[in-house]
Amino acid sequence: MVMYRTRWWAWLPVCVFLSCGCLPFRGEIDSAAAPPTATHAYWREVNQILSQKPAGNDMKSMVQLLETQVASLRELPTEGVDGELVTAVQQLIQAEEEVLWQANTVDRNPEFLRQSRQLSELYADANRQAAQAKKKLKELRSVLNKRYGGGFGADW
């Protein structure tokens, strides 16, 4: 058996590495892959849904996207999610459903809106209410960041 003589300090880097682990990765959590709470996961899903863009700039494309978004928001699981956030999303869904109802009233045809001042005003009012609901949801971001220690951004 052959014994190699080495200095004790030659093993120092190995000992430090083994005792400390790989320092740059210790304790880090990929926030996109593993959200810390159900509220974070719900927020990310809502953010992803509301960040979608319509296929075109015409009314039919926008209404079609809105239908998809409302259906997707309705399907999100709410178990363990902050109640204030769930309420804000439900208010947004209701406001967007009113926009959809108004759009379907005029058969998704902007020409009908131009012909009827009353229908145009109803449609515009529904859109304003939906914009307000979306604004309230976005403002909730700062409250959630304080309540849960960050992790709530918005892309929409």
Side-chain angles (χ1 to χ4, degrees), residues 49-119:
I49 292 167
L50 295 179
S51 296
Q52 298 171 355
K53 303 295 180 204
N57 287 332
D58 60 324
M59 185 176 183
K60 288 183 182 184
S61 296
M62 291 181 194
V63 171
Q64 187 175 21
L65 172 65
L66 195 57
E67 285 176 333
T68 303
Q69 288 177 330
V70 168
S72 297
L73 288 172
R74 254 195 233 116
E75 292 174 5
L76 290 177
T78 59
E79 187 176 330
V81 178
D82 187 277
E84 195 172 354
L85 175 57
V86 172
T87 300
V89 170
Q90 292 303 318
Q91 290 171 347
L92 175 62
I93 290 170
Q94 290 174 350
E96 297 289 25
E97 285 175 337
E98 180 64 24
V99 172
L100 289 171
W101 190 84
Q102 293 296 334
N104 288 328
T105 299
V106 296
D107 199 29
R108 301 178 186 197
N109 188 339
E111 196 58 41
F112 292 152
L113 289 175
R114 289 186 198 103
Q115 293 173 0
S116 173
R117 181 177 179 176
Q118 184 181 12
L119 289 175

Side-chain angles (χ1 to χ4, degrees), residues 15-37:
C15 292
V16 169
F17 180 78
L18 292 175
S19 66
C20 295
C22 190
L23 293 178
F25 300 108
R26 178 172 271 188
E28 287 186 9
I29 297 173
D30 182 5
S31 60
T37 67

